[in-house]
Amino acid sequence: MTKILVAADAQWVRDQVRSALVGSGTEVIEVTRGQDVRPTIAREQLDLVVLDLQIANLGGIAVAIDLHLEAAAGRVPEVPILLLLDREADRFLARRADADAELVKPTDPGTMRRTVRQLLAARASTPEADTADR
């Protein structure tokens, strides 16, 4: 089963991600605060993290940077990150945060599914994915 974490304080963002991705073999876990992402990653075996740019007091960019630092230190497993942006100009920030992919909201379900499939396929093809956190 594929497990995807979506972190957004806006219900419509979580609903959009859930409706695009939920299906047979996919579980979507939701959190509404950025500070809940790291403990959820440590607790669950996730395949992907979807972060909204604006998540209350700890936004998607800060969470992405935190996850990279924690993974580099071996405290959490590496998980691909998809950032949901507010505007095209935010792509610069997503790249600086080393996100694996970014989409500007609102996005259509087909684009979301295609992007997620590409991220999951890339994760499956890396040697670390076979041994590190499975």
Side-chain angles (χ1 to χ4, degrees):
M1 172 170 288
T2 301
K3 281 189 176 181
I4 298 172
L5 173 65
V6 58
D9 58 357
Q11 183 67 50
W12 74 268
V13 174
R14 294 192 314 274
D15 289 345
Q16 183 182 47
V17 174
R18 177 176 289 285
S19 66
L21 301 180
V22 78
S24 62
T26 301
E27 179 184 356
V28 177
I29 300 167
E30 298 178 16
V31 297
T32 58
R33 301 178 329 149
Q35 59 262 40
D36 294 333
V37 173
R38 189 183 338 147
T40 304
I41 289 175
R43 184 178 60 249
E44 303 282 342
Q45 286 192 350
L46 297 170
D47 298 292
L48 178 68
V49 175
V50 180
L51 301 172
D52 190 10
L53 183 66
Q54 305 295 329
I55 315 171
N57 62 347
L58 185 61
I61 299 298
V63 173
I65 292 169
D66 177 65
L67 292 178
H68 287 303
L69 292 172
E70 291 296 305
R75 291 186 284 262
V76 297
E78 284 190 40
V79 181
I81 298 171
L82 169 60
L83 266 169
L84 301 179
L85 309 175
D86 295 330
R87 56 200 176 113
E88 284 291 326
D90 295 330
R91 289 190 189 275
F92 170 78
L93 296 171
R95 290 185 192 110
R96 292 296 298 235
D98 204 20
D100 296 284
E102 70 271 347
L103 294 172
V104 177
K105 303 175 293 191
T107 184
D108 66 274
T111 301
M112 173 94 52
R113 282 190 294 272
R114 193 168 37 258
T115 303
V116 167
R117 272 196 308 267
Q118 290 169 348
L119 289 169
L120 294 174
R123 178 179 170 85
S125 68
T126 61
E128 303 87 41
D130 294 333
T131 59
D133 47 46
R134 296 279 170 207

